Amino acid sequence: MTVVGLGPMGSKMAETFLAAGHEVAVWNRTASKADPLVAKGARRSASAVDGELLVVSQIGYQAMDDSFGDARLDGKVVVNLSSGSPGELRAAARRVAERGGTLITGGIMVPPPGIGQPGAYTFYSGQKDVLDRHAPVLEALGEVSYVGADEGLAMMFYQAQLLIFWSSLTSYMHAMALLRTAGVAPEVFLPFARETFTQLGGDGPMGFVRQLTEEFAAGSYPGELNSLHMQAVGLGHAVEALAEAGVEITVPTALRRLFERADAEGRGGEGLGTVIQSILKP
């Protein structure tokens, strides 16, 4: 195989493949980035399209096009783990197919230090028989999680996870900032935040991830015990607390507006999950 793109992700992937006993060629637009990997046993490739299996980790899909140039891809399998929009990935799959190759798209769900470690996994989409043929190699990076034939799906799953990651951690930053203005050290709040994150994904009364999933699947959002209107009022108070403390409120304000819009649309008596109806219909 050839690993194309030797930034932090690509370099770690190449190291992981080498450690698993695979023969690895490496290529990067800045050729000197291959030197440390060549010293560890990789072969320096003169071309980004050298080999049957091309594992790509670059800044985006345009970088892949630039690296491949006009080369034919007959019989080659391109596994691209770069980021892009789902539509961009589907278009890239068509371009690769027009040149004789097959594109498998992927989204790797760990940072570089987590590649190849327990708990690592990657979303893949595209032709399943092609992925299955190369899964024994790709499993060196982490669990192979196939999500469907549509080449855009891997990125949709990847970005869905990142939306949770970014918004959850940003809310935690707001929480720490608010408490800091009252002299509370972040490590004091840490145990409570950990418990909240744990309980949200659990099955107890705070297990809202499961609850919202079931409600969305059923299309029903009971609000007798905890109405959206009550949540919107409470969120308004939280934004006021942030404003009084003098910290940044752009994202919390946008969240409050979303809740208030769902309330104004006449669903204030339903539960929190009804907000997804406003998300689906902007």
Side-chain angles (χ1 to χ4, degrees):
M1 92 187 72
T2 298
V3 176
V4 177
L6 301 176
M9 292 289 282
S11 293
K12 184 61 177 179
M13 289 179 195
E15 289 179 6
T16 304
F17 285 133
L18 286 168
H22 298 294
E23 294 185 3
V24 181
V26 290
W27 185 92
N28 194 76
R29 287 182 288 182
T30 302
S32 60
K33 285 192 174 182
D35 294 346
L37 291 161
V38 171
K40 294 178 181 179
R43 176 175 61 84
R44 191 188 306 273
S45 177
S47 167
V49 296
D50 174 23
E52 176 189 354
L53 177 61
L54 310 176
V55 179
V56 181
S57 177
Q58 295 180 300
I59 191 66
Y61 274 73
Q62 183 60 53
M64 179 187 75
D65 291 341
D66 295 342
S67 299
F68 287 179
D70 296 327
R72 292 289 303 173
L73 299 171
D74 298 293
K76 298 181 185 296
V77 175
V78 181
V79 178
N80 196 323
L81 300 172
S82 309
S83 181
S85 71
E88 186 178 12
L89 272 61
R90 296 179 185 115
R94 292 192 293 270
R95 292 196 301 273
V96 169
E98 288 167 359
R99 295 160 69 178
T102 302
L103 178 66
I104 300 294
T105 57
I108 190 163
M109 294 310 307
V110 290
I115 293 173
Q117 299 300 311
Y121 68 99
T122 302
F123 294 120
Y124 292 98
S125 58
Q127 296 183 30
K128 188 175 188 299
D129 59 329
V130 176
L131 176 62
D132 288 345
R133 192 164 72 243
H134 295 284
V137 173
L138 297 171
E139 283 171 350
L141 305 179
E143 180 183 351
V144 173
S145 296
Y146 179 71
V147 295
D150 174 2
E151 291 89 354
L153 270 175
M155 192 52 51
M156 293 181 79
F157 271 79
Y158 170 80
Q159 289 165 342
Q161 288 285 60
L162 285 182
L163 285 169
I164 297 172
F165 177 82
W166 287 323
S167 59
S168 298
L169 293 186
T170 301
S171 69
Y172 180 50
M173 294 179 211
H174 275 95
M176 287 191 293
L178 174 63
L179 290 170
R180 171 63 67 85
T181 65
V184 178
E187 58 269 23
V188 172
F189 182 58
L190 176 59
F192 301 100
R194 277 180 169 163
E195 186 65 17
T196 296
F197 280 118
T198 299
Q199 289 193 22
L200 287 174
D203 292 323
M206 279 286 288
F208 280 97
V209 172
R210 175 186 55 79
Q211 293 174 34
L212 293 180
T213 301
E214 293 173 351
E215 290 176 3
F216 185 39
S220 175
Y221 311 98
E224 295 84 359
L225 301 178
N226 206 355
S227 72
L228 169 65
H229 177 72
M230 183 173 66
Q231 299 281 351
V233 172
L235 177 54
H237 295 157
V239 174
E240 290 170 9
L242 290 167
E244 288 177 5
V247 301
E248 204 279 339
I249 61 170
T250 301
V251 173
T253 297
L255 185 59
R256 181 184 66 184
R257 288 173 179 164
L258 178 62
F259 279 32
E260 289 175 343
R261 183 186 136 210
D263 192 3
E265 288 170 346
R267 300 195 307 279
E270 298 181 14
L272 175 62
T274 193
V275 173
I276 198 168
Q277 300 301 317
S278 298
I279 293 171
L280 288 168
K281 299 175 182 178

